[in-house]
Amino acid sequence: MIAVRAYSSKYTGLVSPYPFSPPPPFPLSVTYSPTPPPQSLKTRLAEKIPEKAEEIKKFKAEHKDTVIGQVTIDQAYGGMRDIKGLVCETSLLDSQEGIRFQGYSIPELQKALPKAPGGEEPLPEGLFWLLLTGEVPTYEQANA
């Protein structure tokens, strides 16, 4: 007997995954368990932060003496326009293309991010997940 574990909260019993006849020459037992809970944002960040910290540490070591620009007094007094003042990897504002979040345009995010049942616009929690992890979440992750 071969045991197959599948997650579902709706079904129990014996199931044959074979759409043809006759059934396989061995009995197939399927055990169903409740759907595992979605991974929480806190858990996902705990996995990603050490990886990202190591990536930044390596980047800084390789490029610590690299000059990334010059600043004029006029720019400093003019509201820091066009000055790279910090590293921001979550979004990019392009004068031609518009804003991009983690590489996605707004129309792309409207299609990709999870929506509330019956809703037309993405859940704010889905965008928050994307900004923090760089990953498009599932509906369950956005609601965890």
Side-chain angles (χ1 to χ4, degrees):
M1 179 179 281
I2 296 176
V4 177
R5 184 168 202 81
Y7 287 99
S8 173
S9 58
K10 299 178 183 176
Y11 308 103
T12 62
L14 287 175
V15 174
S16 174
Y18 303 98
F20 56 84
S21 292
F26 49 85
L28 181 65
S29 171
V30 179
T31 305
Y32 290 96
S33 299
T35 304
Q39 185 179 36
S40 72
L41 181 57
K42 185 176 180 179
T43 303
R44 187 66 187 125
L45 287 175
E47 294 171 0
K48 290 193 69 85
I49 288 172
E51 297 168 7
K52 192 65 172 178
E54 188 60 36
E55 180 184 324
I56 292 169
K57 182 179 176 182
K58 182 179 176 185
F59 182 81
K60 285 174 61 178
E62 291 175 8
H63 302 284
K64 64 182 176 186
D65 296 323
T66 303
V67 176
I68 60 171
Q70 295 180 337
V71 179
T72 66
I73 296 295
D74 192 43
Q75 287 173 312
Y77 276 101
M80 303 294 285
R81 290 186 186 102
D82 297 324
I83 299 171
K84 296 279 185 189
L86 60 98
V87 176
C88 180
E89 298 175 346
T90 59
S91 62
L92 171 70
L93 181 57
D94 183 275
S95 60
Q96 301 300 314
E97 211 175 81
I99 194 165
R100 287 187 157 288
F101 299 98
Q102 295 287 10
Y104 295 94
S105 68
I106 292 174
E108 290 169 335
L109 288 175
Q110 287 174 314
K111 292 177 185 173
L113 289 173
K115 299 168 182 57
E120 295 181 17
E121 292 299 322
L123 292 167
E125 296 85 353
L127 181 59
F128 186 64
W129 181 290
L130 174 78
L131 290 174
L132 293 180
T133 67
E135 303 164 350
V136 174
T138 64
Y139 175 79
E140 290 77 19
Q141 288 171 321
N143 282 309

